[in-house]
Amino acid sequence: MAVPYHVKIIEQCDVSPPPDSVIPPISLPLTFLDIPWLLYPSYQTLFFFPKPPLKSTTTTVISLLKKSLSTTLHHFHPLAGNLSAPPPPAEPHLTYTKGDSVSLTIADSNANINNISGNHPRNVVNLYSLLPKLPIPSMPRDPHLTLVLPLLAIQVTFFHDLGYSIGVTTQQVAADERTLDQFIKCWASVCKSLLNKDSFAGFKSTPLFDRSVISDPNSLKTTFLKQWWSRLNSSEVSGEEVDQNIVQATFILTSSDINMIKYHILEKCKMINEDPPLHLSPYVSVCSFIWICLLKVEEAHDSRGTSSSSPLYLGFNAGGTSRLRDEIPSAYFGNCIAFGRCRAFRSELLGEDGVVFAAKSIGKEIKMLDKDVLGGAERWICEWDELNVRVLGSPKVDSYGMDFGWGKVDKVEKLSSHQNCRANHVISLTGSRDLKGGIEIGVALSKAKMAAFTALFNGGLMKLV
């Protein structure tokens, strides 16, 4: 008889920047690129690592992770602070004062790390047990009180000396994936230096906290604040229990697979006398293929008979550091991403040439963002509510090279619950660990739909060979 899965908490502590750190209290205003993320409570990432060498005991690993985290927070101290949201019309902001800290949980699991970090379908409840929780932004019962929420929590889980995971949960209002990646890589570098008894020369790109580099020519901050306040006053943002029937699996497309999809789209365009997509990158090719697979799964399992003329929407994040009017330094701390929403009709997407219309829609949106990244931005928040599919993450963020000193990352998982992303389906994209130019796709579905999706994914690729 199988032993029931469990995760046991063995320690909970708070980690602050080193006591001798000279960090003055700060208050960072939110920019218009931060405000929309107040509606999306947390960004969650799991990193699975191999077993440390025998000479490094669990106690040693924990000690070095704590010490290096403290040193890293000296550089990224706002993450040890809080989101402070006073009653309207005062604006929310990020604060840090001496003594602020990050919650660190140390846990132990009886799971087989190779099983829980594999590519096959795994219960998301088990994956979420490896992630720390953060409070969800909501209106206090007393409208005169200021809402104060921590920005970052971390959980380290050991798997019976067979490896360990690091789960990171961040309030998305504090940092985008780019900033979070810089923080974790800095932490890994410090830890590796301590393990090897090397002197840490400092992170090569010191975070930039200057919010004045983000200009707001269209007064979008005012627009977004009004929309956030309106939503808070109309109903509280609340979390939901994770569906026990949902599983998450990872699908991999090699560079050859992606080129096949691209070639198929271009050939189909010639056959049906359609202009090729305005932009057909690997990202567009992958998203188009996955969008069609998901839609076919929904069509087979949904008996509501949705009209074929109804529009469907796919949303994704678009980097803003090079698209904004003033190019933003890569070291900028905060959110610097825009929102893209693609629209296509159900009848087009479900037709024989659905992947063509998907690619044309996504490619057109990316070209529009390249031309005017803030065009129609005042509708970003309301347009999120219309999404059928939401794409998280970017293959351009390289997490697999990360090494805390005991070996590089074995697997990266990005998780987000459906209610937090306001979409029927959420998929995540990560650059492949082993295959140059490959992309890993994280998909969460019910068990029955996952089986159907797997068949469509593999069958669709076979047809292209």
Side-chain angles (χ1 to χ4, degrees):
M1 184 176 178
V3 177
Y5 171 89
H6 79 263
V7 173
K8 180 182 178 182
I9 305 300
I10 58 179
E11 182 185 355
Q12 286 186 309
C13 60
D14 296 320
V15 179
S16 300
D20 58 353
S21 291
V22 180
I23 307 172
I26 61 171
S27 176
L28 292 178
L30 301 185
T31 73
F32 74 92
L33 292 171
D34 297 317
I35 301 295
W37 300 106
L38 288 166
L39 297 165
Y40 284 73
S42 60
Y43 182 88
Q44 298 175 294
T45 310
L46 263 174
F47 303 92
F48 291 95
F49 293 88
K51 175 184 177 180
L54 291 176
K55 63 181 180 180
S56 294
T57 65
T58 299
T59 302
T60 301
V61 174
I62 293 172
S63 175
L64 287 173
L65 287 174
K66 286 181 179 178
K67 187 174 181 179
S68 56
L69 176 58
S70 175
T71 301
T72 306
L73 289 173
H74 171 81
H75 302 282
F76 290 82
H77 45 275
L79 289 176
N82 296 280
L83 165 67
S84 179
E91 297 181 2
H93 51 280
L94 307 183
T95 64
Y96 171 81
T97 58
K98 191 173 181 63
D100 284 347
S101 60
V102 167
S103 171
L104 175 65
T105 300
I106 308 297
D108 177 87
S109 174
N110 67 341
N112 181 311
I113 190 171
N114 294 321
N115 183 57
I116 199 167
S117 65
N119 293 334
H120 61 281
R122 291 141 297 140
N123 194 307
V124 295
V125 174
N126 294 345
L127 291 172
Y128 274 112
S129 69
L130 306 177
L131 287 158
K133 292 181 174 60
L134 282 175
I136 296 173
S138 61
M139 184 64 74
R141 293 183 181 275
D142 185 341
H144 302 292
L145 292 178
T146 295
L147 178 71
V148 179
L149 297 177
L151 299 176
L152 174 68
I154 296 171
Q155 178 173 324
V156 179
T157 306
F158 293 90
F159 295 87
H160 289 193
D161 294 330
L162 296 175
Y164 66 103
S165 68
I166 296 180
V168 181
T169 302
T170 315
Q171 299 283 7
Q172 292 192 61
V173 69
D176 57 18
E177 184 181 22
R178 171 191 52 83
T179 296
L180 187 62
D181 180 67
Q182 291 173 352
F183 161 72
I184 298 174
K185 283 178 177 173
C186 180
W187 181 19
S189 295
V190 176
C191 188
K192 192 171 185 178
S193 296
L194 290 174
L195 177 65
N196 297 330
K197 296 181 171 57
D198 296 333
S199 58
F200 179 63
F203 190 52
K204 60 184 178 182
S205 182
T206 304
L208 174 68
F209 303 121
D210 182 8
R211 296 305 173 99
S212 68
V213 301
I214 303 285
S215 58
D216 185 10
N218 303 324
S219 300
L220 288 169
K221 182 174 182 177
T222 300
T223 300
F224 290 154
L225 280 173
K226 288 179 180 177
Q227 293 177 21
W228 181 59
W229 288 328
S230 173
R231 293 194 178 215
L232 282 180
N233 289 328
S234 61
S235 62
E236 284 195 0
V237 179
S238 60
E240 298 177 19
E241 291 297 320
V242 179
D243 189 338
Q244 298 276 344
N245 190 44
I246 300 295
V247 293
Q248 176 146 324
T250 303
F251 298 84
I252 299 176
L253 288 173
T254 67
S255 58
S256 296
D257 294 332
I258 298 169
N259 285 331
M260 279 197 309
I261 297 170
K262 179 179 179 179
Y263 179 78
H264 172 74
I265 292 170
L266 293 174
E267 287 300 302
K268 275 286 186 179
C269 287
K270 292 178 183 177
M271 291 172 59
I272 62 177
N273 294 318
E274 280 280 342
D275 291 331
L278 294 174
H279 180 77
L280 190 56
S281 63
Y283 182 92
V284 173
S285 300
V286 170
C287 289
S288 303
F289 182 71
I290 299 300
W291 192 5
I292 299 304
C293 289
L294 284 172
L295 181 56
K296 288 181 177 179
V297 168
E298 277 304 310
E299 190 71 11
H301 287 78
D302 190 349
S303 59
R304 289 176 293 179
T306 307
S307 170
S308 62
S309 62
S310 60
L312 296 175
Y313 301 95
L314 177 141
F316 61 91
N317 297 338
T321 53
S322 60
R323 284 188 171 102
L324 292 172
R325 181 180 302 175
D326 301 315
E327 189 163 334
I328 310 302
S330 60
Y332 173 74
F333 178 97
N335 285 287
C336 194
I337 48 178
F339 172 66
R341 187 191 68 156
C342 315
R343 178 179 184 269
F345 290 105
R346 180 181 293 269
S347 57
E348 294 175 332
L349 296 173
L350 281 173
E352 185 179 348
D353 307 309
V355 70
V356 169
F357 292 101
K360 286 173 70 76
S361 176
I362 299 171
K364 178 182 178 182
E365 181 67 13
I366 290 176
K367 276 298 183 183
M368 289 175 62
L369 289 168
D370 288 342
K371 183 178 180 181
D372 181 10
V373 71
L374 300 182
E378 67 279 357
R379 300 190 300 274
W380 282 353
I381 292 177
C382 64
E383 287 181 348
W384 279 347
D385 294 333
E386 301 174 341
L387 297 183
N388 304 100
V389 177
R390 171 112 196 174
V391 183
L392 302 179
S394 169
K396 294 180 180 180
V397 176
D398 177 23
S399 297
Y400 277 112
M402 195 182 302
D403 184 354
F404 281 80
W406 302 284
K408 293 182 179 180
V409 182
D410 275 339
K411 182 69 181 297
V412 178
E413 296 275 4
K414 299 171 184 176
L415 292 95
S416 188
S417 54
H418 291 342
Q419 70 274 12
N420 288 351
C421 282
R422 303 181 189 276
N424 293 336
H425 296 296
V426 178
I427 65 173
S428 62
L429 302 184
T430 307
S432 173
R433 182 190 66 177
D434 303 315
L435 303 170
K436 185 177 180 180
I439 295 179
E440 297 180 5
I441 305 109
V443 180
L445 294 166
S446 68
K447 293 177 182 177
K449 290 182 178 179
M450 185 63 77
F453 179 88
T454 303
L456 282 166
F457 181 91
N458 293 332
L461 289 180
M462 287 299 295
K463 289 180 180 178
L464 299 180
V465 175

